[in-house]
Amino acid sequence: MKRIHKDNYAPKYKSGKWSWDSERECLNFQPHNDLENARERFISTNGYQFLRTIDQEEELIFREEYMRPKTSSDSDIVDIQDIRNLVLYMMPPEFLTYKFVQFMHEPQVDELIHSLIIYFEYYLRLAEFVLIRRDEISDEMGQMQSEQTNDMKRTLSVYLSQYRMLVARNYCEIIGGTDNMAKFYHLNVVTKISATIRDKFFYEQFLTVLVQIVWIAMHRRAYFVIEMEMNRLFRSEHFVSAHDKYPVFSITERSLLYGKNNTNVNYRFQESPLIQELKFLPSEDMPILWIGKRKYRGTDIRIAEMELEYIVPGPQLCLIDVAHGILGHPKRLYNTLLELDWPAVRYSNFSEEFDPYHIIRRPHLKVPKIDELKMRTANETYEHFYELKWTINPCSHFHICKWVRREMLITLSKSGGLLTNIVSRCERELASTSPGPMVDRIVSLYLKRISKIRKSEGEPLEFGFSGLLIPFPAT
């Protein structure tokens, strides 16, 4: 991963560019006013201020203390954990509580983030398709839509609803308060009293962090579209704030993007679109709720494709020619803020014929077959043989406390505290007279670290998006 700052100390200047004024024969400074091109310090998400860029000291602290270590599995590939670590480092200080950081590292939250990235990958493609079709049919030389075009739109809308079902399934596992989610549940087990105010702020913070994670995963594009759709998914249209940057869709376009199950009633009785997807679930889509839980056996090709997208880990997405944002991309193409380094992309010699990471190729929607929805009703589902269980390395108490002490560490560094980089660390070890750890301890630590990234002989095949997915025979 490339560094943003090359020197030890960066000059403090405003964001902009210098140009030569030929009339006055002097240099003229032009500050950036456009948010898309400016390196502004903060970006507002649901009323909270997140860092948009970092200085050299903050970059040094992040790379030494909070970046995923190289001893972890697939450390040279961008993973969900890398995006989450960056967002946790750039989020406001009031978010840094032990409970919230622990919650963000739970397996159920990992599955929800994974399903949201898949959903927004296709939502942005369909939203772009809708806007293009709007321009094509609204011009003076507008095109006439055929019945096959409408049938294709209905099929694409159903496909997007199926991805919403995955998000709704993972979201319900969190709000259900079962298993390890019980300690985050708003209702006290003994007194049966709901912590309404505390849970409200906790929910707002979680939703804001999700917007940032998905936005970074989608190459930092269509920010306002992602923010609007995220608020609509988890709340409803009644609670989406008015913003002049939010896109406005017509009734026909809304029915295409939001699906046939989306209904609006009085805000006192309104349910979120995620819950509505589960309440009106077609019978042929029932196996979707078991994706990632047990291996699908049936004749529905659509469900098999969704399962393949969901269970294949990020580093292997290029093998099935699927793009989920920046997941699975090599870190050598990105800087510390997970922004594309275009000189590194150019030196990689990607082209339309050779582009395993979908960087040069434009994202597109696959045209569905005619009457594909009718064909799906005739598919069969068989008894499953294997159950899938996620094994994820839990976040230790030490790492959670390190996240909670983030502001203290940054303040200490900026006030003159020393950060031990590799040069100062080597100088200190050479000047030290201590004997150091024993040889057997060094060997045991090496074997413990290498066991995480190497497989022993006879070990079963494992998959996963942020951990390992192991197939177990069904009981």
Side-chain angles (χ1 to χ4, degrees):
M1 184 177 290
K2 299 184 179 298
R3 292 181 178 271
I4 302 176
H5 305 283
K6 304 298 182 183
D7 300 328
N8 293 329
Y9 296 97
K12 305 296 188 296
Y13 54 85
K14 295 182 180 180
S15 177
K17 64 179 182 179
W18 292 92
S19 62
W20 178 256
D21 191 349
S22 58
E23 295 181 358
R24 295 185 295 177
E25 295 185 353
C26 63
L27 289 173
N28 182 26
F29 179 76
Q30 299 175 355
H32 285 305
N33 296 320
D34 187 9
L35 188 61
E36 296 295 331
N37 300 322
R39 305 302 306 162
E40 300 294 339
R41 178 64 174 171
F42 297 98
I43 180 172
S44 178
T45 303
N46 288 344
Y48 293 100
Q49 297 292 324
F50 281 75
L51 286 177
R52 190 183 181 95
T53 184
I54 54 179
D55 55 27
Q56 283 179 315
E57 293 177 341
E58 293 169 345
E59 182 185 10
L60 183 61
I61 295 173
F62 175 73
R63 295 180 71 97
E64 291 190 4
E65 301 292 337
Y66 299 105
M67 186 177 289
R68 188 158 60 104
K70 294 184 178 181
T71 56
S72 60
S73 179
D74 296 313
S75 60
D76 58 337
I77 302 296
V78 178
D79 199 1
I80 291 179
Q81 186 177 353
D82 298 310
I83 306 175
R84 179 178 56 203
N85 290 344
L86 179 62
V87 174
L88 291 181
Y89 188 74
M90 303 178 72
M91 67 184 184
E94 58 265 24
F95 286 27
L96 291 173
T97 61
Y98 188 93
K99 182 179 179 181
F100 184 76
V101 176
Q102 183 185 16
F103 175 77
M104 290 301 302
H105 288 86
E106 293 294 337
Q108 290 87 346
V109 178
D110 273 6
E111 294 187 34
L112 178 63
I113 294 174
H114 180 61
S115 58
L116 278 172
I117 292 176
I118 297 176
Y119 170 75
F120 275 96
E121 176 70 33
Y122 288 91
Y123 176 81
L124 294 182
R125 296 183 186 182
L126 189 58
E128 184 180 8
F129 169 76
V130 166
L131 296 178
I132 292 175
R133 291 297 297 170
R134 177 197 294 179
D135 295 337
E136 290 178 348
I137 65 178
S138 61
D139 196 8
E140 295 181 357
M141 302 294 293
Q143 302 176 4
M144 182 178 296
Q145 300 188 77
S146 62
E147 182 59 29
Q148 293 182 352
T149 304
N150 296 329
D151 183 69
M152 181 187 67
K153 289 182 178 180
R154 285 190 292 266
T155 305
L156 294 177
S157 178
V158 171
Y159 284 177
L160 189 63
S161 298
Q162 292 171 350
Y163 290 114
R164 267 194 300 267
M165 296 174 193
L166 274 179
V167 178
R169 192 271 313 265
N170 296 330
Y171 177 60
C172 288
E173 291 182 357
I174 294 178
I175 64 177
T178 58
D179 298 334
N180 56 336
M181 289 287 107
K183 55 178 173 287
F184 305 105
Y185 196 57
H186 67 96
L187 192 64
N188 191 294
V189 180
V190 179
T191 61
K192 301 297 181 181
I193 299 177
S194 175
T196 307
I197 299 178
R198 184 183 63 186
D199 188 70
K200 180 184 69 173
F201 286 103
F202 192 89
Y203 181 81
E204 291 286 342
Q205 294 172 1
F206 176 56
L207 189 60
T208 307
V209 170
L210 288 182
V211 174
Q212 285 284 321
I213 290 177
V214 174
W215 178 56
I216 294 177
M218 295 293 107
H219 293 278
R220 286 183 168 86
R221 60 189 177 94
Y223 169 77
F224 294 106
V225 179
I226 293 174
E227 184 182 35
M228 183 189 72
E229 177 63 13
M230 189 77 72
N231 290 324
R232 189 197 71 87
L233 276 180
F234 288 90
R235 296 166 174 168
S236 65
E237 297 185 39
H238 294 292
F239 301 96
V240 176
S241 59
H243 200 289
D244 57 345
K245 298 288 186 177
Y246 287 169
V248 179
F249 299 110
S250 63
I251 298 178
T252 305
E253 295 168 348
R254 288 157 57 91
S255 63
L256 176 62
L257 291 172
Y258 301 159
K260 62 180 181 180
N261 296 329
N262 181 57
T263 56
N264 290 327
V265 294
N266 190 280
Y267 74 94
R268 297 183 181 90
F269 310 101
Q270 179 67 47
E271 296 174 331
S272 67
L274 294 179
I275 304 302
Q276 291 176 355
E277 291 290 345
L278 295 182
K279 288 186 64 176
F280 306 101
L281 188 68
S283 58
E284 62 269 15
D285 292 337
M286 288 294 294
I288 295 178
L289 301 182
W290 288 103
I291 290 180
K293 305 297 181 183
R294 64 189 187 190
K295 193 69 178 67
Y296 171 72
R297 289 185 69 246
T299 60
D300 197 336
I301 300 178
R302 170 60 185 168
I303 297 181
E305 292 176 350
M306 290 185 61
E307 183 186 52
L308 185 66
E309 280 192 72
Y310 190 80
I311 69 176
V312 169
Q316 280 78 45
L317 285 176
C318 59
L319 300 179
I320 62 174
D321 197 26
V322 171
H324 291 162
I326 66 175
L327 295 184
H329 292 194
K331 287 184 177 179
R332 59 182 174 84
L333 302 178
Y334 292 85
N335 58 18
T336 307
L337 293 178
L338 295 179
E339 296 175 337
L340 263 179
D341 185 73
W342 287 106
V345 175
R346 287 193 292 269
Y347 282 117
S348 299
N349 295 326
F350 292 134
S351 62
E352 293 288 344
E353 292 75 19
F354 175 69
D355 186 18
Y357 307 112
H358 292 257
I359 298 177
I360 305 299
R361 290 182 290 174
R362 293 183 59 85
H364 62 279
L365 290 171
K366 183 180 178 181
V367 179
K369 298 180 181 179
I370 300 176
D371 295 333
E372 187 165 349
L373 297 180
K374 296 181 181 179
M375 295 169 57
R376 291 190 63 242
T377 57
N379 291 320
E380 298 180 356
T381 302
Y382 308 125
E383 187 68 23
H384 68 284
F385 287 159
Y386 295 100
E387 294 181 357
L388 306 176
K389 295 183 180 180
W390 300 99
T391 58
I392 300 176
N393 295 327
C395 187
S396 62
H397 172 74
F398 173 76
H399 287 89
I400 297 178
C401 293
K402 184 188 291 186
W403 279 112
V404 175
R405 296 194 302 267
R406 185 199 69 184
E407 289 299 311
M408 185 186 304
L409 184 60
I410 295 177
T411 304
L412 176 64
S413 171
K414 292 186 176 181
S415 62
L418 179 63
L419 289 175
T420 58
N421 54 18
I422 187 64
V423 177
S424 60
R425 191 182 308 165
C426 293
E427 293 176 351
R428 186 179 59 184
E429 291 182 357
L430 289 174
S432 176
T433 58
S434 61
M438 302 297 293
V439 176
D440 56 349
R441 177 169 175 79
I442 296 176
V443 173
S444 62
L445 289 176
Y446 171 77
L447 295 177
K448 181 180 178 181
R449 289 181 178 180
I450 211 66
S451 63
K452 296 180 180 180
I453 56 179
R454 291 185 181 176
K455 292 179 58 61
S456 59
E457 186 178 358
E459 193 174 350
L461 187 63
E462 300 170 345
F463 303 93
F465 53 84
S466 59
L468 304 177
L469 185 60
I470 307 176
F472 290 89
T475 55

